[in-house]
Amino acid sequence: SLNCLDWSLLIPATKEMLALAEQLKGRFQGDPSFEYNLTEINAEAAARLTEGGKEPVIKEEARLIATIEQIDRAVGIVPRGAFVKTPLGSVHENRHFEGLSLVEAKKLSSYFHFTEPVNLKNKTLLEKADLDPSTDFLDSLEHDIPRGSWSIQLEKGGTVVVLRSLLWLGLTFYHVPMTKQFGYVYFGTGEKNLDLPFML
């Protein structure tokens, strides 16, 4: 939105957008039509693009789309059991999910990345033996690298569990134990905290 009254959907991110956006550092300008010239930022990446017949320029709108996609992939999370995988491979919202218990809600292993699993495929058969294939089909937060990139806190006298990402500062996830209420929101600068390994 340019005026906070008329809203339109962003187009889906492409691999090219993601690759270009990773080259950019610093804060957003606030103008969707602003163009970043990669020759000033990363001469090697710009040279590769020019050789491929593409312009070494990316608009802020494309950078925003790519950043949202990166944030969703990296820190978009759901509680364990909120979604189920059918034997046919489709994923659905679990209508029987009544929320995590307070004890479970305090554990990082009770939360999953809501994206295509990566680490799950690398687990041994022995590690997979204890997993329920209908609910444990996503990657758990407890194996995130670097370790310690999540902060778990209890709010309102233990009635709300809040997870904050230290990798994407400004990402806050909440879950009300014993209810179906959960969600996440991002209020940040759109910059990944690349210094996190040195801060832990």
Side-chain angles (χ1 to χ4, degrees):
S1 175
L2 297 173
N3 58 10
C4 294
L5 296 172
D6 304 314
W7 296 85
S8 58
L9 292 173
L10 294 170
I11 60 171
T14 62
K15 287 183 180 178
E16 185 181 300
M17 276 184 200
L18 291 166
L20 287 171
E22 283 182 9
Q23 306 296 326
L24 302 173
K25 302 285 184 266
R27 295 197 173 193
F28 285 83
Q29 303 297 317
D31 177 11
S33 61
F34 180 82
E35 292 185 344
Y36 296 92
N37 193 339
L38 282 180
T39 50
E40 299 166 6
I41 299 161
N42 189 331
E44 290 176 26
R48 283 195 301 268
L49 282 171
T50 309
E51 287 170 12
K54 296 173 185 162
E55 282 192 50
V57 172
I58 180 173
K59 284 192 173 184
E60 177 140 312
E61 182 181 9
R63 182 186 179 195
L64 177 65
I65 292 167
T67 303
I68 291 170
E69 180 70 21
Q70 284 179 315
I71 292 169
D72 272 345
R73 283 186 190 176
V75 288
I77 58 177
V78 293
R80 181 180 186 268
F83 290 85
V84 289
K85 188 174 188 178
T86 65
L88 299 174
S90 61
V91 176
H92 300 285
E93 191 175 337
N94 185 359
R95 290 181 286 159
H96 302 292
F97 178 68
E98 292 297 330
L100 299 171
S101 67
L102 184 58
V103 174
E104 288 296 312
K106 292 183 202 174
K107 298 177 186 173
L108 267 184
S109 58
S110 298
Y111 301 96
F112 295 137
H113 288 282
F114 198 49
T115 56
E116 197 66 35
V118 177
N119 298 332
L120 193 64
K121 296 172 185 171
N122 301 331
K123 287 192 173 189
T124 64
L125 287 174
L126 192 60
E127 289 173 315
K128 289 182 181 177
D130 295 331
L131 302 179
D132 181 350
S134 65
T135 55
D136 300 322
F137 58 94
L138 298 169
D139 287 332
S140 171
L141 298 191
E142 69 178 333
H143 302 299
D144 278 11
I145 297 171
R147 290 199 185 275
S149 61
W150 289 97
S151 161
I152 298 183
Q153 295 157 342
L154 297 176
E155 304 285 340
K156 294 184 74 176
T159 57
V160 179
V161 177
V162 174
L163 276 79
R164 290 188 174 89
S165 173
L166 302 178
L167 189 61
W168 286 95
L169 296 171
L171 187 286
T172 303
F173 170 88
Y174 74 93
H175 175 52
V176 181
M178 306 306 290
T179 72
K180 296 183 178 189
Q181 295 178 24
F182 67 89
Y184 65 91
V185 67
Y186 178 76
F187 290 105
T189 61
E191 297 173 287
K192 194 175 187 178
N193 183 12
L194 299 174
D195 296 328
L196 180 61
F198 306 103
M199 297 165 74
L200 295 173

